[in-house]
Amino acid sequence: MVIAVLGPAGTFSHELVLRLCKEEPLLLPTISQVFSLAERGEAIGFVPIENSEAGGVGPTLDGLCRYDVSITAECYLSVYHHLASHTQLEKIEVIYAHPQTHEQCSEAFDRLGIPVIHTSSNAASAVKAQENIKGAAAISDSAAAYYKIPIILRDLHNSALNTTRFIRIESTEYSGEDVAKCSIMIDPMKDIPGLLHALLTPFAERKINLSRIESRPSGRGIGSYRFFLDFEAGPAARDALLQLKSSVPVREFGCYPQLEVPR
């Protein structure tokens, strides 16, 4: 089966699949296109869903809303950001960076005081810096090595523990028994007093650990949100979901294992 990720070559998604699967993935220009192929059963997708510093990845959360896919695994990748350029630091006039990377390196950007132009990926940043050699730089790691751009300033990330969580998406649910986590989306449709308490009560009553809860605008107007929940898999989880579904619309993305990423 084809494995699809966000390109161009040198993105963290590209690096992840090379380390995890030992094969070259299909590189696509947008995360939405990765979802589209996965929904049609034409590829297995790997997409970033959250970062320890910058939070949820909007295009992935939107993809989970728009496309009929299941989450079949998760994995974690330590992320390092360096400043790469063919020119000296004092001569740099612009830095290319992905918006999430910008957030993960916000403290360094404040110190540098150099204008930032956002790109679609860290690899795209490297490509732009390569095209504009005089006065341009990129925030990158593996992409800098891939495109042979010298690193002139290391470790710009705010936290030494900077980590991105990826999910594997497919057209069918995971069928193995070694599941560790489950993911759902709750779409309340309307706001009522005590809503969040009511959504969490089925899990709290059964002492089910929630590892993540995140809101995302529903597109139905200001104040209307969908909620993404991750929780530990187990016998009590099904009962909690049945109780939750009796009061609000719930979409299940499945239960899945965690994959170890080789160094």
Side-chain angles (χ1 to χ4, degrees), residues 143-195:
Y146 192 93
Y147 293 99
K148 296 181 172 57
I149 305 175
I151 291 175
I152 62 173
L153 204 58
R154 290 190 170 274
D155 298 329
L156 298 190
H157 34 281
N158 298 342
S159 171
L161 300 178
N162 193 26
T163 303
T164 295
R165 176 187 172 217
F166 289 80
I167 54 173
R168 184 176 68 192
I169 54 173
E170 301 185 57
S171 59
T172 57
E173 292 186 4
Y174 181 74
S175 58
E177 296 182 355
D178 55 335
V179 297
K181 186 181 291 183
C182 305
S183 295
I184 61 173
M185 180 183 70
I186 303 170
D187 194 355
M189 302 302 291
K190 61 180 180 179
D191 190 18
I192 59 174
L195 173 63

Short mmCIF file of all heavy atoms in Angstrom, two decimals, residues 143-195:
data_model
loop_
_atom_site.label_atom_id
_atom_site.label_comp_id
_atom_site.label_asym_id
_atom_site.label_seq_id
_atom_site.Cartn_x
_atom_site.Cartn_y
_atom_site.Cartn_z
N ALA A 143 15.46 18.93 6.60
CA ALA A 143 15.36 19.55 5.28
C ALA A 143 16.61 20.33 4.92
O ALA A 143 17.01 20.38 3.76
CB ALA A 143 14.13 20.46 5.21
N ALA A 144 17.25 20.94 5.92
CA ALA A 144 18.48 21.69 5.65
C ALA A 144 19.56 20.75 5.12
O ALA A 144 20.27 21.08 4.16
CB ALA A 144 18.95 22.38 6.92
N ALA A 145 19.68 19.58 5.73
CA ALA A 145 20.66 18.60 5.26
C ALA A 145 20.28 18.08 3.89
O ALA A 145 21.14 17.90 3.02
CB ALA A 145 20.77 17.46 6.26
N TYR A 146 18.98 17.85 3.68
CA TYR A 146 18.49 17.31 2.41
C TYR A 146 18.81 18.26 1.26
O TYR A 146 19.21 17.82 0.17
CB TYR A 146 16.99 17.06 2.50
CG TYR A 146 16.42 16.25 1.36
CD1 TYR A 146 16.30 14.87 1.47
CD2 TYR A 146 16.00 16.85 0.18
CE1 TYR A 146 15.78 14.11 0.42
CE2 TYR A 146 15.49 16.11 -0.87
CZ TYR A 146 15.38 14.74 -0.74
OH TYR A 146 14.87 14.00 -1.78
N TYR A 147 18.64 19.56 1.48
CA TYR A 147 18.88 20.55 0.43
C TYR A 147 20.26 21.19 0.52
O TYR A 147 20.54 22.16 -0.17
CB TYR A 147 17.78 21.62 0.46
CG TYR A 147 16.43 21.06 0.09
CD1 TYR A 147 15.50 20.73 1.08
CD2 TYR A 147 16.08 20.83 -1.22
CE1 TYR A 147 14.26 20.20 0.75
CE2 TYR A 147 14.84 20.30 -1.57
CZ TYR A 147 13.94 19.99 -0.58
OH TYR A 147 12.71 19.45 -0.91
N LYS A 148 21.09 20.64 1.41
CA LYS A 148 22.50 21.07 1.54
C LYS A 148 22.62 22.57 1.83
O LYS A 148 23.40 23.29 1.22
CB LYS A 148 23.29 20.70 0.28
CG LYS A 148 23.39 19.19 0.05
CD LYS A 148 24.20 18.86 -1.19
CE LYS A 148 24.46 17.37 -1.30
NZ LYS A 148 23.23 16.56 -1.32
N ILE A 149 21.83 23.02 2.81
CA ILE A 149 21.90 24.40 3.27
C ILE A 149 22.62 24.42 4.62
O ILE A 149 22.19 23.72 5.55
CB ILE A 149 20.50 25.02 3.41
CG1 ILE A 149 19.73 24.90 2.09
CG2 ILE A 149 20.60 26.49 3.83
CD1 ILE A 149 18.30 25.38 2.19
N PRO A 150 23.67 25.18 4.79
CA PRO A 150 24.42 25.20 6.05
C PRO A 150 23.57 25.69 7.23
O PRO A 150 22.77 26.61 7.07
CB PRO A 150 25.57 26.17 5.78
CG PRO A 150 25.67 26.25 4.29
CD PRO A 150 24.29 26.04 3.76
N ILE A 151 23.72 25.06 8.37
CA ILE A 151 23.06 25.52 9.59
C ILE A 151 23.95 26.55 10.26
O ILE A 151 25.11 26.27 10.56
CB ILE A 151 22.77 24.34 10.53
CG1 ILE A 151 21.69 23.43 9.92
CG2 ILE A 151 22.31 24.84 11.90
CD1 ILE A 151 21.41 22.18 10.70
N ILE A 152 23.42 27.73 10.49
CA ILE A 152 24.24 28.80 11.06
C ILE A 152 23.86 29.13 12.51
O ILE A 152 24.60 29.82 13.21
CB ILE A 152 24.15 30.08 10.21
CG1 ILE A 152 22.71 30.60 10.15
CG2 ILE A 152 24.67 29.82 8.80
CD1 ILE A 152 22.59 31.96 9.47
N LEU A 153 22.70 28.63 12.97
CA LEU A 153 22.28 28.84 14.35
C LEU A 153 21.44 27.65 14.78
O LEU A 153 20.43 27.35 14.16
CB LEU A 153 21.47 30.14 14.46
CG LEU A 153 21.40 30.84 15.81
CD1 LEU A 153 22.79 31.19 16.30
CD2 LEU A 153 20.54 32.09 15.70
N ARG A 154 21.85 26.98 15.85
CA ARG A 154 21.20 25.74 16.26
C ARG A 154 20.22 25.94 17.41
O ARG A 154 20.33 26.88 18.19
CB ARG A 154 22.25 24.70 16.67
CG ARG A 154 23.07 24.17 15.50
CD ARG A 154 23.93 22.98 15.90
NE ARG A 154 24.52 22.35 14.72
CZ ARG A 154 23.92 21.42 14.00
NH1 ARG A 154 22.73 20.99 14.37
NH2 ARG A 154 24.50 20.91 12.93
N ASP A 155 19.28 24.99 17.48
CA ASP A 155 18.35 24.85 18.61
C ASP A 155 17.58 26.13 18.91
O ASP A 155 17.70 26.73 19.98
CB ASP A 155 19.13 24.39 19.85
CG ASP A 155 19.78 23.04 19.66
OD1 ASP A 155 19.23 22.21 18.91
OD2 ASP A 155 20.86 22.81 20.25
N LEU A 156 16.74 26.53 17.95
CA LEU A 156 15.91 27.72 18.13
C LEU A 156 14.57 27.41 18.80
O LEU A 156 13.84 28.33 19.15
CB LEU A 156 15.65 28.39 16.77
CG LEU A 156 16.86 28.89 15.99
CD1 LEU A 156 16.42 29.72 14.80
CD2 LEU A 156 17.80 29.70 16.88
N HIS A 157 14.22 26.15 18.96
CA HIS A 157 12.94 25.78 19.58
C HIS A 157 12.88 26.24 21.03
O HIS A 157 13.89 26.25 21.74
CB HIS A 157 12.71 24.27 19.49
CG HIS A 157 13.96 23.46 19.60
ND1 HIS A 157 14.85 23.28 18.57
CD2 HIS A 157 14.48 22.77 20.65
CE1 HIS A 157 15.85 22.52 18.97
NE2 HIS A 157 15.65 22.21 20.23
N ASN A 158 11.67 26.62 21.45
CA ASN A 158 11.48 27.13 22.81
C ASN A 158 11.80 26.09 23.87
O ASN A 158 12.30 26.42 24.95
CB ASN A 158 10.05 27.62 23.00
CG ASN A 158 9.69 28.76 22.08
OD1 ASN A 158 10.56 29.44 21.54
ND2 ASN A 158 8.40 29.00 21.91
N SER A 159 11.48 24.84 23.58
CA SER A 159 11.63 23.77 24.57
C SER A 159 12.53 22.66 24.05
O SER A 159 12.40 22.25 22.88
CB SER A 159 10.26 23.18 24.93
OG SER A 159 10.39 22.01 25.71
N ALA A 160 13.42 22.17 24.90
CA ALA A 160 14.28 21.05 24.53
C ALA A 160 13.48 19.76 24.38
O ALA A 160 13.97 18.79 23.79
CB ALA A 160 15.38 20.86 25.57
N LEU A 161 12.25 19.74 24.90
CA LEU A 161 11.39 18.55 24.83
C LEU A 161 10.37 18.67 23.69
O LEU A 161 9.35 17.98 23.70
CB LEU A 161 10.68 18.34 26.16
CG LEU A 161 11.59 18.14 27.38
CD1 LEU A 161 10.76 18.00 28.65
CD2 LEU A 161 12.50 16.94 27.20
N ASN A 162 10.62 19.54 22.74
CA ASN A 162 9.70 19.77 21.63
C ASN A 162 9.40 18.47 20.89
O ASN A 162 10.29 17.81 20.37
CB ASN A 162 10.31 20.79 20.67
CG ASN A 162 9.31 21.33 19.67
OD1 ASN A 162 8.11 21.36 19.93
ND2 ASN A 162 9.80 21.78 18.53
N THR A 163 8.13 18.09 20.85
CA THR A 163 7.71 16.81 20.27
C THR A 163 6.44 16.99 19.46
O THR A 163 5.53 17.71 19.87
CB THR A 163 7.45 15.78 21.39
OG1 THR A 163 8.62 15.63 22.19
CG2 THR A 163 7.07 14.43 20.79
N THR A 164 6.39 16.32 18.32
CA THR A 164 5.17 16.32 17.50
C THR A 164 4.57 14.92 17.49
O THR A 164 5.27 13.94 17.31
CB THR A 164 5.47 16.77 16.06
OG1 THR A 164 5.89 18.14 16.08
CG2 THR A 164 4.22 16.67 15.19
N ARG A 165 3.27 14.86 17.70
CA ARG A 165 2.53 13.60 17.65
C ARG A 165 1.93 13.44 16.26
O ARG A 165 1.30 14.38 15.73
CB ARG A 165 1.43 13.61 18.71
CG ARG A 165 0.52 12.38 18.68
CD ARG A 165 -0.63 12.56 19.64
NE ARG A 165 -1.63 11.50 19.52
CZ ARG A 165 -2.93 11.68 19.64
NH1 ARG A 165 -3.41 12.88 19.89
NH2 ARG A 165 -3.77 10.67 19.51
N PHE A 166 2.11 12.29 15.67
CA PHE A 166 1.57 11.96 14.36
C PHE A 166 0.52 10.86 14.51
O PHE A 166 0.59 10.04 15.43
CB PHE A 166 2.67 11.47 13.42
CG PHE A 166 3.63 12.53 12.97
CD1 PHE A 166 4.67 12.94 13.79
CD2 PHE A 166 3.49 13.13 11.72
CE1 PHE A 166 5.56 13.93 13.38
CE2 PHE A 166 4.38 14.10 11.29
CZ PHE A 166 5.41 14.50 12.13
N ILE A 167 -0.44 10.85 13.59
CA ILE A 167 -1.41 9.76 13.54
C ILE A 167 -1.36 9.10 12.16
O ILE A 167 -1.04 9.75 11.15
CB ILE A 167 -2.84 10.23 13.84
CG1 ILE A 167 -3.25 11.39 12.92
CG2 ILE A 167 -2.99 10.59 15.30
CD1 ILE A 167 -4.71 11.79 13.04
N ARG A 168 -1.63 7.82 12.15
CA ARG A 168 -1.77 7.08 10.90
C ARG A 168 -3.25 7.02 10.56
O ARG A 168 -4.07 6.66 11.41
CB ARG A 168 -1.20 5.68 11.04
CG ARG A 168 -1.20 4.85 9.74
CD ARG A 168 -0.53 3.50 9.97
NE ARG A 168 -1.30 2.64 10.86
CZ ARG A 168 -0.83 1.51 11.42
NH1 ARG A 168 0.40 1.12 11.15
NH2 ARG A 168 -1.60 0.80 12.21
N ILE A 169 -3.61 7.41 9.34
CA ILE A 169 -5.02 7.42 8.94
C ILE A 169 -5.24 6.46 7.79
O ILE A 169 -4.43 6.35 6.87
CB ILE A 169 -5.50 8.85 8.56
CG1 ILE A 169 -4.59 9.46 7.48
CG2 ILE A 169 -5.57 9.73 9.79
CD1 ILE A 169 -5.11 10.79 6.94
N GLU A 170 -6.39 5.73 7.86
CA GLU A 170 -6.73 4.75 6.83
C GLU A 170 -8.24 4.77 6.61
O GLU A 170 -9.00 5.36 7.39
CB GLU A 170 -6.27 3.35 7.24
CG GLU A 170 -4.77 3.23 7.48
CD GLU A 170 -4.35 1.81 7.77
OE1 GLU A 170 -4.62 0.94 6.92
OE2 GLU A 170 -3.74 1.57 8.84
N SER A 171 -8.67 4.09 5.57
CA SER A 171 -10.10 4.03 5.24
C SER A 171 -10.86 3.05 6.13
O SER A 171 -12.08 3.09 6.19
CB SER A 171 -10.30 3.67 3.77
OG SER A 171 -9.71 2.41 3.49
N THR A 172 -10.14 2.16 6.80
CA THR A 172 -10.77 1.17 7.69
C THR A 172 -10.19 1.26 9.09
O THR A 172 -9.06 1.72 9.28
CB THR A 172 -10.57 -0.26 7.15
OG1 THR A 172 -9.16 -0.52 7.01
CG2 THR A 172 -11.25 -0.42 5.80
N GLU A 173 -10.94 0.81 10.08
CA GLU A 173 -10.50 0.87 11.47
C GLU A 173 -9.39 -0.15 11.76
O GLU A 173 -9.25 -1.16 11.06
CB GLU A 173 -11.67 0.62 12.42
CG GLU A 173 -12.71 1.71 12.43
CD GLU A 173 -13.77 1.46 13.50
OE1 GLU A 173 -13.62 0.49 14.27
OE2 GLU A 173 -14.73 2.25 13.56
N TYR A 174 -8.63 0.11 12.81
CA TYR A 174 -7.62 -0.83 13.28
C TYR A 174 -8.32 -2.03 13.91
O TYR A 174 -9.26 -1.86 14.70
CB TYR A 174 -6.71 -0.15 14.29
CG TYR A 174 -5.61 -1.04 14.82
CD1 TYR A 174 -4.51 -1.35 14.03
CD2 TYR A 174 -5.67 -1.56 16.12
CE1 TYR A 174 -3.50 -2.16 14.51
CE2 TYR A 174 -4.66 -2.37 16.60
CZ TYR A 174 -3.58 -2.68 15.79
OH TYR A 174 -2.57 -3.48 16.25
N SER A 175 -7.88 -3.23 13.59
CA SER A 175 -8.57 -4.43 14.06
C SER A 175 -7.75 -5.25 15.05
O SER A 175 -8.21 -6.30 15.51
CB SER A 175 -8.95 -5.32 12.86
OG SER A 175 -7.78 -5.68 12.12
N GLY A 176 -6.56 -4.78 15.40
CA GLY A 176 -5.74 -5.53 16.35
C GLY A 176 -6.22 -5.37 17.79
O GLY A 176 -7.11 -4.56 18.08
N GLU A 177 -5.64 -6.13 18.67
CA GLU A 177 -6.06 -6.11 20.08
C GLU A 177 -5.13 -5.27 20.96
O GLU A 177 -5.45 -5.00 22.12
CB GLU A 177 -6.11 -7.54 20.63
CG GLU A 177 -7.15 -8.41 19.93
CD GLU A 177 -7.21 -9.80 20.51
OE1 GLU A 177 -6.38 -10.11 21.40
OE2 GLU A 177 -8.08 -10.59 20.09
N ASP A 178 -3.99 -4.82 20.42
CA ASP A 178 -3.00 -4.11 21.22
C ASP A 178 -3.27 -2.60 21.26
O ASP A 178 -2.37 -1.78 21.08
CB ASP A 178 -1.59 -4.38 20.69
CG ASP A 178 -1.45 -4.04 19.21
OD1 ASP A 178 -2.48 -4.04 18.50
OD2 ASP A 178 -0.32 -3.76 18.78
N VAL A 179 -4.53 -2.23 21.47
CA VAL A 179 -4.89 -0.80 21.45
C VAL A 179 -4.56 -0.15 22.79
O VAL A 179 -4.65 -0.77 23.85
CB VAL A 179 -6.38 -0.61 21.11
CG1 VAL A 179 -6.67 -1.13 19.71
CG2 VAL A 179 -7.28 -1.29 22.13
N ALA A 180 -4.16 1.12 22.73
CA ALA A 180 -3.82 1.87 23.94
C ALA A 180 -4.66 3.12 24.10
O ALA A 180 -4.86 3.60 25.21
CB ALA A 180 -2.33 2.25 23.90
N LYS A 181 -5.15 3.65 22.99
CA LYS A 181 -5.85 4.94 23.04
C LYS A 181 -7.00 4.94 22.04
O LYS A 181 -6.95 4.25 21.02
CB LYS A 181 -4.86 6.06 22.71
CG LYS A 181 -5.41 7.48 22.86
CD LYS A 181 -4.34 8.51 22.49
CE LYS A 181 -3.22 8.53 23.51
NZ LYS A 181 -2.21 9.58 23.21
N CYS A 182 -8.04 5.72 22.35
CA CYS A 182 -9.17 5.91 21.45
C CYS A 182 -9.37 7.40 21.21
O CYS A 182 -9.03 8.23 22.07
CB CYS A 182 -10.46 5.32 22.04
SG CYS A 182 -10.36 3.58 22.50
N SER A 183 -9.92 7.75 20.05
CA SER A 183 -10.15 9.15 19.71
C SER A 183 -11.57 9.33 19.19
O SER A 183 -12.07 8.51 18.43
CB SER A 183 -9.15 9.63 18.65
OG SER A 183 -7.83 9.61 19.15
N ILE A 184 -12.19 10.44 19.60
CA ILE A 184 -13.54 10.76 19.13
C ILE A 184 -13.64 12.26 18.87
O ILE A 184 -12.78 13.04 19.30
CB ILE A 184 -14.63 10.37 20.16
CG1 ILE A 184 -14.42 11.14 21.47
CG2 ILE A 184 -14.63 8.87 20.39
CD1 ILE A 184 -15.54 10.95 22.49
N MET A 185 -14.70 12.64 18.18
CA MET A 185 -15.05 14.05 18.02
C MET A 185 -16.49 14.22 18.47
O MET A 185 -17.37 13.46 18.05
CB MET A 185 -14.89 14.51 16.58
CG MET A 185 -15.25 15.99 16.38
SD MET A 185 -15.15 16.50 14.63
CE MET A 185 -16.55 15.62 13.92
N ILE A 186 -16.73 15.21 19.31
CA ILE A 186 -18.08 15.51 19.79
C ILE A 186 -18.54 16.80 19.14
O ILE A 186 -17.82 17.81 19.16
CB ILE A 186 -18.09 15.66 21.32
CG1 ILE A 186 -17.55 14.39 22.00
CG2 ILE A 186 -19.49 15.98 21.82
CD1 ILE A 186 -17.31 14.56 23.48
N ASP A 187 -19.72 16.78 18.55
CA ASP A 187 -20.27 17.97 17.89
C ASP A 187 -21.61 18.31 18.53
O ASP A 187 -22.67 17.83 18.09
CB ASP A 187 -20.45 17.68 16.39
CG ASP A 187 -20.69 18.95 15.60
OD1 ASP A 187 -20.83 20.02 16.22
OD2 ASP A 187 -20.76 18.87 14.36
N PRO A 188 -21.61 19.13 19.59
CA PRO A 188 -22.84 19.37 20.37
C PRO A 188 -23.97 20.06 19.61
O PRO A 188 -25.12 20.02 20.05
CB PRO A 188 -22.34 20.24 21.52
CG PRO A 188 -20.87 20.05 21.56
CD PRO A 188 -20.45 19.81 20.16
N MET A 189 -23.67 20.75 18.51
CA MET A 189 -24.67 21.46 17.69
C MET A 189 -25.20 22.72 18.35
O MET A 189 -25.47 23.72 17.70
CB MET A 189 -25.85 20.54 17.31
CG MET A 189 -25.43 19.27 16.56
SD MET A 189 -24.54 19.61 15.02
CE MET A 189 -25.86 20.30 14.02
N LYS A 190 -25.34 22.73 19.67
CA LYS A 190 -25.80 23.94 20.35
C LYS A 190 -25.13 24.04 21.72
O LYS A 190 -24.72 23.03 22.31
CB LYS A 190 -27.32 23.95 20.51
CG LYS A 190 -27.89 22.82 21.33
CD LYS A 190 -29.40 22.91 21.41
CE LYS A 190 -29.99 21.76 22.24
NZ LYS A 190 -31.46 21.86 22.35
N ASP A 191 -25.01 25.26 22.21
CA ASP A 191 -24.36 25.51 23.49
C ASP A 191 -25.41 25.56 24.59
O ASP A 191 -26.44 26.23 24.46
CB ASP A 191 -23.59 26.84 23.42
CG ASP A 191 -22.70 27.05 24.63
OD1 ASP A 191 -22.40 26.05 25.32
OD2 ASP A 191 -22.31 28.20 24.89
N ILE A 192 -25.18 24.82 25.65
CA ILE A 192 -26.08 24.81 26.80
C ILE A 192 -25.27 24.92 28.08
O ILE A 192 -24.09 24.54 28.11
CB ILE A 192 -26.95 23.53 26.83
CG1 ILE A 192 -26.04 22.29 26.89
CG2 ILE A 192 -27.89 23.48 25.64
CD1 ILE A 192 -26.82 20.99 27.08
N PRO A 193 -25.85 25.44 29.17
CA PRO A 193 -25.13 25.53 30.44
C PRO A 193 -24.66 24.15 30.92
O PRO A 193 -25.41 23.17 30.85
CB PRO A 193 -26.17 26.11 31.40
CG PRO A 193 -27.13 26.85 30.52
CD PRO A 193 -27.19 26.06 29.25
N GLY A 194 -23.41 24.07 31.37
CA GLY A 194 -22.87 22.82 31.88
C GLY A 194 -22.50 21.82 30.81
O GLY A 194 -22.30 20.63 31.11
N LEU A 195 -22.38 22.28 29.56
CA LEU A 195 -22.11 21.36 28.45
C LEU A 195 -20.82 20.59 28.64
O LEU A 195 -20.79 19.36 28.53
CB LEU A 195 -22.08 22.13 27.13
CG LEU A 195 -21.65 21.32 25.89
CD1 LEU A 195 -22.64 20.21 25.62
CD2 LEU A 195 -21.51 22.23 24.67
#
